[in-house]
Amino acid sequence: MLYEDLMADPQAFVDRVCAFADIPAIQLSPEQLAPVHSSETSVIPRHPAWTRLGVSVGNWIYDHEWEAAVAVVKRLRLRRWFLELGSRFPKLEREVEHRMRRKLMADIEALESILGRDLGMWKPAP
């Protein structure tokens, strides 16, 4: 199963996972179909070292289930300071993308053979 399958038809993707796991089917709700943590809004942190530290501390607090501390952090909107105020990532240059796809061509074709599927969407444009 591929990410493209999930994006094309989330319900069919989940149905296949449930069938494979031999569990009852799960009907996805509209809320479950909404995008979560999209990378489209990701930015380059203004202060990468502070961001790494902030994320590490936040994960540690969350892992130790300190709900009060989590509530304080949310109220202070530190996530915004660390993760939302940077500049946008530059768009991948077409030539770089094409070069990477060419470099991965043998792997893509090997995976096509294994899966018995056309992975033309991963190959470089002619």
Side-chain angles (χ1 to χ4, degrees):
M1 296 178 61
L2 306 173
Y3 177 75
E4 286 81 1
D5 299 337
L6 173 62
M7 297 310 297
D9 189 345
Q11 185 63 60
F13 186 91
V14 169
D15 291 345
R16 287 185 62 198
V17 170
C18 290
F20 175 81
D22 197 25
I23 61 174
I26 299 168
Q27 183 62 43
L28 297 175
S29 68
E31 295 81 23
Q32 292 169 318
L33 294 169
V36 177
H37 301 299
S38 170
S39 63
E40 292 175 14
T41 59
S42 294
V43 296
I44 300 169
R46 289 189 306 169
H47 308 288
W50 284 105
T51 300
R52 277 192 297 280
L53 177 63
V55 169
S56 295
V57 169
N59 288 339
W60 187 88
I61 289 170
Y62 187 79
D63 289 345
H64 288 82
E65 300 178 2
W66 289 6
E67 287 83 8
V70 171
V72 168
V73 170
K74 283 183 179 179
R75 216 174 16 255
L76 292 174
R77 296 182 47 94
L78 292 176
R79 183 184 195 298
R80 183 174 194 282
W81 190 82
F82 283 114
L83 299 174
E84 297 174 11
L85 294 177
S87 58
R88 293 225 177 267
F89 284 97
K91 183 139 178 73
L92 183 62
E93 295 175 25
R94 186 174 296 270
E95 177 50 38
V96 172
E97 178 183 354
H98 190 72
R99 189 171 59 243
M100 293 306 297
R101 290 178 187 272
R102 280 194 320 263
K103 195 172 207 161
L104 294 169
M105 182 64 88
D107 294 321
I108 294 168
E109 290 174 344
L111 186 57
E112 280 181 322
S113 177
I114 292 167
L115 297 177
R117 290 184 62 177
D118 174 31
L119 300 177
M121 70 282 215
W122 293 0
K123 295 178 181 177

